[in-house]
Amino acid sequence: MNSKIVFALFSLLAISIAAQGATTINCNKSGVCNDANCGKSGKVENWQVSGTQCVIADCSQLTITGATISTNACTSCNSNSKPANTQANSSNTACIAKSNAKLLVASATIAILALLF
Ligand SMILES: *[C@@H]1O[C@H](CO)[C@@H](O)[C@H](O)[C@H]1NC(C)=O
Ligand SMILES: *[C@@H]1O[C@H](CO)[C@@H](O)[C@H](O)[C@H]1NC(C)=O
């Protein structure tokens, strides 16, 4: 493999690791992860502690009827099968995709570097 390909693969790996890291939310206050600290997470409190951060315990609770959710909850439930960054819609009842400026910038950077090398 030439260095161009190795570099492109490495960059892709780095980006996918960074994207996965977005699933924990930095909202615990003295170790407490709840709706008051992190934002609505379904019909009932649905946050759990993950290390020093918080994460949604059950992402399926975000889509049940009558659930109220927050952008934090949507962000926490980003996953490999749902890679687009998501945010709550304006009535806080569904997670919708938002354009990910960081990923766009990162892929543009890779494209430019690949041309240069
Ligand atoms: C988050 O929770 C952990 C304990 O699980 C605690 O050590 C840490 O200080 C907490 N972070 C904040 C900002 O309170
Ligand atoms: C948010 O999404 C839900 C589920 O798709 C939909 O029923 C609701 O009307 C949406 N709210 C707004 C303000 O678009």
Side-chain angles (χ1 to χ4, degrees), residues 89-91 93-94:
N89 76 356
S90 55
S91 57
T93 49

Side-chain angles (χ1 to χ4, degrees), residues 2 14 19 25-26 50 57 69 74-75 78 85 89 95 98 114 116:
N2 72 27
I25 308 292
N26 187 14
S50 171
I69 56 171
C74 293
T75 303
N78 287 335
N85 252 344
N89 76 356
C95 294
K98 69 175 175 190
L116 288 177

Side-chain angles (χ1 to χ4, degrees), residues 87-111:
Q87 64 187 13
N89 76 356
S90 55
S91 57
N92 286 355
T93 49
C95 294
I96 54 174
K98 69 175 175 190
S99 66
N100 188 330
K102 265 189 205 158
L103 278 184
L104 285 181
V105 168
S107 17
T109 306
I110 289 176

Side-chain angles (χ1 to χ4, degrees), residues 7 17-18 21 28 33-34 36-37 42 48 59 64 66 89 103 116-117:
F7 180 78
I17 289 171
N28 82 325
C33 296
N34 58 21
N37 292 341
Q48 66 184 22
C59 286
I64 62 172
N89 76 356
L103 278 184
L116 288 177
F117 279 93

